[in-house]
Amino acid sequence: MLTISLAEPVPTPFDFEAAARSHGWSALVPFTWDAAAATLSRVQRLQSSGRVVRLHLREGHPNGSAPFVAVEVETVEPLTPGEEAEIRRAVRRMVRLDEDFSEFYELCAQAEGWTLRVQPGGGRLLRCPTLFEDIIYTLCTTNITWAGTKRLVERLTALLGEPFSGRDEWRAFPTPAAIAAAGPEVLRQEIRLGYRSGYIWELASAVAEGRLDLHEALEDPTLPTADLMRRLRQIKGVGPYAAATLLMILGRYEHLAVDTELVSHVSKKYFGGQPASEAEMRAVYAPWGRWQYLAYWFDAPD
DNA sequence: TTCCAGGGGTAGA
DNA sequence: TCTACCCATGGA
């Protein structure tokens, strides 16, 4: 077994722990968060080669040099340059090293009467290495408790994910091809994805067969958000909540994901525990414009 | 037993 | 665009 160390440069300010932990994704396998070591780990199957590696990310502690994310790669064989490049891209995507939050920070500094829990360098919400994985995670958060979401993702990974170095307990998130090959009945009866089974199987099949290129269709920074929203809603199983969540994943924060958590928070904090209409709830965060998802996300409970 | 969860599709208006 | 109604599963 080899351990290869990489250092990925980060923008300033940057808060690694906030990036890893502000979003619930870090609690979904194959992510694990080690609080004592402040380390985010993930078993990862590299798309370029099919090799499965383990990644361990933590904050670099430079002596006078530029800050970085320290990446340890556990691998059975040395990495090719292509594999190393893929890992660096995955790290940059996961903790959003290429996203500019300066306007959001300025708004936070000027926002009187708001108590947003954002530290300098915060605001980054963890993503998966690929959009496909983010979409499956998101579909597993609809109409279910958070404990249920964790169970679904655990079973999906345990049954269909590829193990790292023969270790059953360390499996990568399943590929579209593995989910497609399993078929909707396995998803329904063994992984117990319920009514999500058909949606997830359809999406995985479309990606595996090359009928849908998620990166090409949805990760185009020049595409207007309204068009992105339309494309996301064409995915079966993606409704208003999931689409807004995925727009957040894509770095577009102008739509609120209205779910029971948001309803509960807004009712308690702004309406004295009384019910409010969706329009009234949206109006609370409307002043934040294209940053309203983050304003809600980091809004202090009371 | 019943309700409902970090909702969404479909049909019908 | 809005509203009923149905959809699987599991915890409370």
Side-chain angles (χ1 to χ4, degrees):
Chain A
M1 189 67 59
L2 296 169
T3 301
I4 294 163
S5 296
L6 307 174
E8 194 59 28
V10 303
T12 308
F14 176 75
D15 182 334
F16 172 74
E17 186 162 342
R21 302 205 62 207
S22 294
H23 193 203
W25 269 199
S26 62
L28 299 179
V29 295
F31 278 120
T32 56
W33 171 253
D34 179 340
T39 297
L40 180 73
S41 299
R42 188 174 166 99
V43 182
Q44 191 60 31
R45 181 185 182 280
L46 303 177
Q47 290 182 304
S48 52
S49 61
R51 193 195 306 284
V52 179
V53 298
R54 280 186 89 206
L55 305 178
H56 307 280
L57 280 59
R58 61 179 69 85
E59 191 166 325
H61 293 286
N63 289 322
S65 61
F68 59 94
V69 175
V71 185
E72 276 187 5
V73 187
E74 281 186 74
T75 175
V76 175
E77 292 177 57
L79 299 176
T80 67
E83 289 173 328
E84 181 182 321
E86 181 182 340
I87 290 169
R88 289 183 182 276
R89 279 198 304 277
V91 169
R92 299 194 73 78
R93 180 175 201 279
M94 284 190 277
V95 292
R96 302 183 190 254
L97 296 182
D98 299 309
E99 225 172 284
D100 181 5
F101 292 87
S102 50
E103 184 183 295
F104 178 55
Y105 298 153
E106 283 172 27
L107 286 175
C108 287
Q110 297 163 8
E112 286 181 29
W114 289 84
T115 46
L116 263 53
R117 296 172 300 179
V118 180
Q119 303 300 321
R124 295 178 166 82
L125 301 181
L126 185 66
R127 303 190 280 192
C128 293
T130 68
L131 181 57
F132 174 74
E133 297 164 20
D134 285 314
I135 297 175
I136 304 297
Y137 272 18
T138 301
L139 291 176
C140 288
T141 66
T142 59
N143 201 19
I144 194 169
T145 60
W146 183 242
T149 297
K150 290 201 266 190
R151 271 196 307 275
L152 296 185
V153 177
E154 266 162 27
R155 279 198 293 264
L156 200 49
T157 304
L159 266 73
L160 301 178
E162 210 172 305
F164 167 71
S165 186
R167 298 283 295 272
D168 271 349
E169 70 276 27
W170 289 338
R171 287 178 182 271
F173 193 80
T175 61
I179 296 175
E185 283 317 301
V186 167
L187 299 184
R188 188 179 301 277
Q189 290 169 18
E190 294 186 41
I191 302 176
R192 311 196 70 73
L193 288 170
Y195 64 89
R196 306 165 191 82
S197 306
Y199 304 149
I200 288 176
W201 182 75
E202 249 182 72
L203 175 67
S205 299
V207 172
E209 291 165 15
R211 286 182 280 122
L212 176 60
D213 183 331
L214 292 172
H215 180 74
E216 192 178 78
L218 298 165
E219 299 197 284
D220 175 359
T222 67
L223 208 59
T225 300
D227 293 342
L228 263 182
M229 173 66 102
R230 223 168 285 125
R231 292 187 185 185
L232 286 166
R233 290 293 305 272
Q234 286 171 358
I235 300 170
K236 294 278 188 185
V238 174
Y241 155 81
T245 301
L246 289 165
L247 285 176
M248 171 279 284
I249 290 289
L250 293 166
R252 319 275 184 126
Y253 303 106
E254 58 260 59
H255 289 272
L256 289 178
V258 177
D259 57 19
T260 56
E261 281 295 309
L262 182 142
V263 169
S264 162
H265 167 76
V266 174
S267 166
K268 273 186 220 159
K269 182 161 181 177
Y270 298 100
F271 295 92
Q274 296 303 114
S277 72
E278 190 170 319
E280 288 172 319
M281 293 188 290
R282 290 186 184 281
V284 171
Y285 297 100
W288 288 84
R290 71 186 193 94
W291 298 101
Q292 48 191 292
Y293 188 106
L294 293 181
Y296 157 66
W297 193 267
F298 291 99
D299 194 15
D302 244 334

